[in-house]
Amino acid sequence: MNTSELKSQLEAEISRTKKIIGEYKEMSQPISPDDAIGRLSRMDAINNKGVMEAALRQAENKLSALQSVISRIDSPGFGLCVSCNQPIPIGRILIRPESQRCVNCAR
């Protein structure tokens, strides 16, 4: 895979991640105390808000890592394992952009 194809895949993943972040932000909005939803429903909503906030932080971290990968894509040695110097699969770079080792060396 050449650099331009990798950039386009990374940019697509960045776009998807930004969309997910927007959805998580919308779902983690506070519930107004004026809304009549009942005590148990309110407790459930508070719990769901905590889960959404955790997912939001994780998505924001992924976005930051993907943007870091894009900024390093033209550097020498990008996409090569720092341990064995073999190419890191593109799937691993997209899923775990912070990875600097191939699957075998990461064990």
Side-chain angles (χ1 to χ4, degrees), residues 4-104:
S4 64
E5 290 172 345
L6 180 58
K7 271 186 184 178
S8 96
Q9 283 195 0
L10 286 168
E11 287 168 355
E13 188 65 24
I14 285 172
S15 176
R16 281 190 294 272
T17 304
K18 284 181 179 179
K19 182 181 177 198
I20 289 170
I21 287 172
E23 291 169 1
Y24 286 159
K25 282 183 179 180
E26 187 177 313
M27 289 188 282
S28 64
Q29 293 295 316
I31 297 168
S32 171
D34 297 334
D35 292 343
I37 60 174
R39 192 185 87 192
L40 292 178
S41 295
R42 186 166 305 283
M43 289 171 51
D44 190 41
I46 290 169
N47 183 48
N48 288 342
K49 182 179 182 303
V51 169
M52 284 300 123
E53 287 172 345
L56 174 61
R57 282 190 302 276
Q58 187 177 18
E60 288 172 337
N61 289 340
K62 180 179 180 180
L63 177 62
S64 174
L66 285 167
Q67 289 171 333
S68 173
V69 166
I70 280 230
S71 70
R72 294 182 287 123
I73 201 165
D74 293 322
S75 66
F78 173 79
L80 297 178
C81 176
V82 295
S83 297
C84 69
N85 213 30
Q86 294 298 312
I88 299 171
I90 182 63
R92 180 165 174 80
I93 293 172
L94 289 174
I95 292 171
R96 297 191 50 92
E98 69 277 5
S99 297
Q100 294 186 351
R101 290 185 169 78
C102 65
V103 175
N104 290 332

